[in-house]
Amino acid sequence: MSTLKKKVAVIGAGASGLTAIKCCLDEGLEPVCFERANYISGLWHYTDYVEEGQACVMKSTVINTSKEMMCYSDYPIPADYPIFMHNKYVDKYFHLYADEFGLKKYINMNTEVHSIKQSDDYKKSGKWEIVTSSKSAPEKKTHTFDFVLICTGHHADKNVPNFVGLDKFKGKVTHTHDYKDYHGYEDKNVLIIGIGNSGGDVATEISRISAQTYISTRSGAWIWNRISDGGNPVDMSISIRAPFAIAKKFPWLFAKITANKLNARFDHKKYSLQPEFNPMACHPTVNDELPNRIAAGSVKIKANVKEFTENGAIFEDGTEITDLDAVVLATGYIFGFPFLDKNVIDVKDNKVNLYQYMYPPDLDHKTLAVIGCFQPWGAIMPISEMQCRLATRVFMDKIKLPDSTTMWKDIEYKHVQNTQRYNESKRHTIQVDYITIMDELAEHIGCKPDLKTLLLTDPKLAMECLFGPCTPYQYRLQGPGKWKGARESILTQWERTYKPLQTRPCKVREEQSIGMLYVIVVALIAVIVYIIFL
């Protein structure tokens, strides 16, 4: 019997590609990673220059997810790193991860993938042919691999809407893909089109130095703050199993409570931001500054653009700006896989048919998977890692996936669910809930935490898993890939969260403590409710 390791091509060395390499190694596979840039970390590695087809954060970007929710499940982010990290810390963490597990030696930098196609004997072997070239050796090379993991993400080509008159506008027009920092916008009148996370970040940054900043939005937006009640990270406050299970049973009630909560911070209607849909019907826009910038008058909210003039814009509500200097298109991205035959995966209008957002359902062999092609309520890194854990075990014949018919039913069901829940938009075609997708993938792998058993064997840990944030460590407690540090990481996650804030001693007045009996009673009631609705 052959002792040669089976080879896996990993396309991309960003957040998904790095964990793909590690998961291959964990399963005894041989990864070969192709990265078109000369660096790892993907869009989280900031560069001063623009690369077409290569997404990049702006210089001031801070991630919207807290460090405990975004880390890989067996490698906590250092305790002294900020709760919400600037892009340089995210990049640093990826390097720490790559160095810890020896991943960099498997990465071929400056290597472009031109095509991926089924090998001549694919029907029998399931193998793939990949054509690449590198900057140091531009002649094309053909490689044969047993398996392929496509980790190129969904921030690829710019989505540039065809606005009437935009080609005649005399000012500067930039897409957020190409935006680096505020330089060049000083004392200018600037219009941002789009109010997603990039649009909000650009608007708040530019508004501090521009003459006037405007945001044009077709539908409005619900604005979330990174920090929730008590100074807790918002994602750690809402990504909790017990309330999430109840929210799934009563989505209308949860949406109403959430809308009231967001409006308690500031009334979205007063600030001309109120959408016609509820907060759970759109991807969250996370921005701590926007309400303050609107209140200060430096940002003004406008309706959707009807058309551009040579020096301004006319909006659908009949209002007009006549002295615009610049336009920034925060209109998102169009994702696809140009190196892959459309018979394998075909993307139309940002819609793609993939089982678990990974597998083309009609392939004869499940030897190719897409990683990270989704947009989560939460962090992408742990979900990508879970997809890689599943894919590599499928490659090793340790997991059998359902047949094509079952896959199609699941794909169509999720399309229907998303259509019914979300406001119609290209950005919502691959939207997923963090806990839902993590649990689904974990069920395939066999690493979903058994909370009923934990309640009997380790009640302290079970309570933290039920009523604390659903951090990635939960998926290393049991089953394949079990990690001995998972329990301790869960029980100390709040300590790591607040460690970077402890920069001076504070004398705090003792508050009246809540009786222990009351805590126990409330906890027992919550457990009973959770079990009933689960």
Side-chain angles (χ1 to χ4, degrees):
M1 187 172 68
S2 174
T3 58
L4 291 176
K5 291 184 178 181
K6 292 192 173 182
K7 294 174 66 176
V8 184
V10 177
I11 316 303
S16 298
L18 291 175
T19 192
I21 299 170
K22 180 183 178 295
C23 289
C24 287
L25 296 173
D26 289 345
E27 291 296 336
L29 295 160
E30 182 182 341
V32 179
C33 180
F34 300 113
E35 169 54 55
R36 66 187 297 187
N38 62 353
Y39 51 82
I40 67 170
S41 304
L43 63 83
W44 289 103
H45 176 88
Y46 173 76
T47 62
D48 288 319
Y49 52 89
V50 175
E51 296 176 84
E52 287 302 322
Q54 179 69 46
C56 177
V57 292
M58 48 195 267
K59 191 169 187 177
S60 61
T61 298
V62 173
I63 199 165
N64 291 333
T65 50
S66 63
K67 64 179 181 180
E68 291 298 308
M69 294 301 299
M70 63 159 279
C71 67
Y72 297 117
S73 60
D74 58 355
Y75 194 68
I77 292 172
D80 59 344
Y81 278 31
I83 300 173
F84 291 96
M85 298 187 292
H86 182 269
N87 61 78
K88 66 184 178 184
Y89 280 99
V90 179
D91 189 18
K92 225 185 268 190
Y93 171 66
F94 288 145
H95 278 273
L96 289 175
Y97 180 76
D99 291 338
E100 175 70 20
F101 298 107
L103 308 181
K104 291 179 180 177
K105 62 186 176 184
Y106 299 98
I107 303 172
N108 297 280
M109 300 290 192
N110 295 312
T111 303
E112 184 85 21
V113 172
H114 297 282
S115 68
I116 300 175
K117 67 177 184 177
Q118 296 170 353
S119 64
D120 292 338
D121 65 343
Y122 171 81
K123 288 287 185 183
K124 179 182 178 181
S125 68
K127 293 183 178 182
W128 298 84
E129 283 188 3
I130 299 181
V131 177
T132 68
S133 67
S134 65
K135 290 181 180 178
S136 59
E139 66 277 6
K140 292 182 179 180
K141 294 182 179 179
T142 301
H143 318 260
T144 300
F145 286 92
D146 298 288
F147 310 108
V148 179
L149 291 174
I150 299 175
C151 306
T152 52
H154 59 88
H155 293 96
D157 296 321
K158 295 175 279 192
N159 176 39
V160 181
N162 185 24
F163 287 104
V164 175
L166 184 58
D167 56 333
K168 298 178 182 177
F169 177 65
K170 292 182 176 180
K172 178 181 179 181
V173 179
T174 306
H175 192 279
T176 48
H177 173 281
D178 304 333
Y179 178 90
K180 297 297 180 180
D181 58 36
Y182 63 84
H183 288 105
Y185 295 95
E186 295 92 337
D187 303 317
K188 306 293 185 184
N189 291 325
V190 185
L191 173 64
I192 316 293
I193 297 181
I195 198 169
N197 287 300
S198 295
D201 286 348
V202 172
T204 52
E205 177 170 278
I206 286 179
S207 67
R208 294 186 175 278
I209 50 85
S210 66
Q212 182 65 59
T213 297
Y214 304 90
I215 298 178
S216 168
T217 171
R218 181 175 52 194
S219 55
W222 293 98
I223 309 300
W224 295 69
N225 199 321
R226 289 180 177 85
I227 303 301
S228 184
D229 296 344
N232 295 327
V234 66
D235 54 354
M236 294 182 77
S237 300
I238 64 175
S239 300
I240 301 174
R241 287 187 176 278
F244 182 75
I246 298 170
K248 286 179 71 175
K249 294 290 183 182
F250 304 102
W252 58 270
L253 179 60
F254 186 68
K256 180 68 174 175
I257 292 171
T258 303
N260 290 340
K261 183 77 173 174
L262 295 177
N263 275 328
R265 180 179 171 231
F266 75 94
D267 188 322
H268 284 61
K269 185 176 181 180
K270 289 179 182 176
Y271 283 64
S272 296
L273 288 168
Q274 180 85 47
E276 294 182 359
F277 45 83
N278 70 66
M280 312 314 294
C282 58
H283 187 72
T285 297
V286 181
N287 196 295
D288 305 317
E289 292 187 74
L290 186 57
N292 298 332
R293 306 310 301 160
I294 295 173
S298 55
V299 172
K300 293 183 179 180
I301 306 300
K302 303 293 292 181
N304 196 38
V305 172
K306 179 182 178 182
E307 63 179 295
F308 283 93
T309 63
E310 289 186 351
N311 301 302
I314 300 172
F315 300 90
E316 289 181 352
D317 61 359
T319 59
E320 183 177 2
I321 302 173
T322 59
D323 56 350
L324 276 181
D325 299 298
V327 172
V328 179
L329 301 173
T331 48
Y333 295 85
I334 299 171
F335 70 86
F337 310 99
F339 45 76
L340 190 62
D341 194 316
K342 288 188 176 182
N343 292 327
V344 179
I345 299 176
D346 190 14
V347 181
K348 294 180 179 178
D349 296 323
N350 269 26
K351 296 177 182 177
V352 63
N353 296 314
L354 297 172
Y355 177 67
Q356 294 296 355
Y357 302 90
M358 298 173 63
Y359 292 102
D362 293 328
L363 281 182
D364 295 329
H365 301 279
K366 305 310 176 191
T367 53
L368 177 144
V370 176
I371 307 298
C373 189
F374 52 82
Q375 180 151 281
W377 273 78
I380 192 171
M381 297 79 173
I383 306 175
S384 289
E385 180 192 33
M386 193 70 78
Q387 287 184 326
C388 292
R389 289 173 68 184
L390 171 59
T392 50
R393 291 184 68 78
V394 169
F395 293 163
M396 294 297 289
D397 290 327
K398 295 178 181 179
I399 296 173
K400 183 174 176 58
L401 294 173
D403 60 28
S404 176
T405 301
T406 305
M407 286 187 174
W408 273 112
K409 285 181 180 178
D410 183 77
I411 291 167
E412 289 164 4
Y413 172 77
K414 286 174 178 171
H415 280 333
V416 170
Q417 291 293 303
N418 272 15
T419 300
Q420 291 175 347
R421 172 177 168 179
Y422 290 103
N423 177 50
E424 185 177 354
S425 171
K426 285 184 177 181
R427 70 197 299 231
H428 294 144
T429 56
I430 50 174
Q431 193 75 32
V432 297
D433 285 325
Y434 170 80
I435 293 179
T436 300
I437 188 68
M438 288 287 279
D439 278 357
E440 285 184 11
L441 294 167
E443 285 173 356
H444 281 293
I445 299 167
C447 64
K448 182 180 176 181
D450 184 350
L451 298 178
K452 291 180 181 179
T453 300
L454 275 180
L455 281 168
L456 298 174
T457 60
D458 195 341
K460 180 180 180 181
L461 178 61
M463 295 297 284
E464 190 62 33
C465 290
L466 275 169
F467 303 108
C470 184
T471 44
Y473 321 119
Q474 291 193 18
Y475 300 93
R476 292 284 184 177
L477 288 170
Q478 298 158 324
K482 180 179 178 180
W483 174 50
K484 63 181 181 180
R487 183 182 188 274
E488 181 66 18
S489 295
I490 292 169
L491 296 179
T492 56
Q493 57 199 8
W494 286 108
E495 294 176 24
R496 283 190 304 280
T497 297
Y498 291 118
K499 172 69 173 175
L501 304 185
Q502 297 166 3
T503 55
R504 63 175 286 266
C506 296
K507 292 183 179 180
V508 182
R509 178 172 59 88
E510 287 190 11
E511 302 290 344
Q512 184 177 0
S513 61
I514 302 174
M516 182 57 68
L517 179 61
Y518 175 76
V519 174
I520 294 172
V521 170
V522 171
L524 286 174
I525 292 172
V527 169
I528 292 168
V529 171
Y530 174 77
I531 292 173
I532 290 172
F533 288 115
L534 184 64

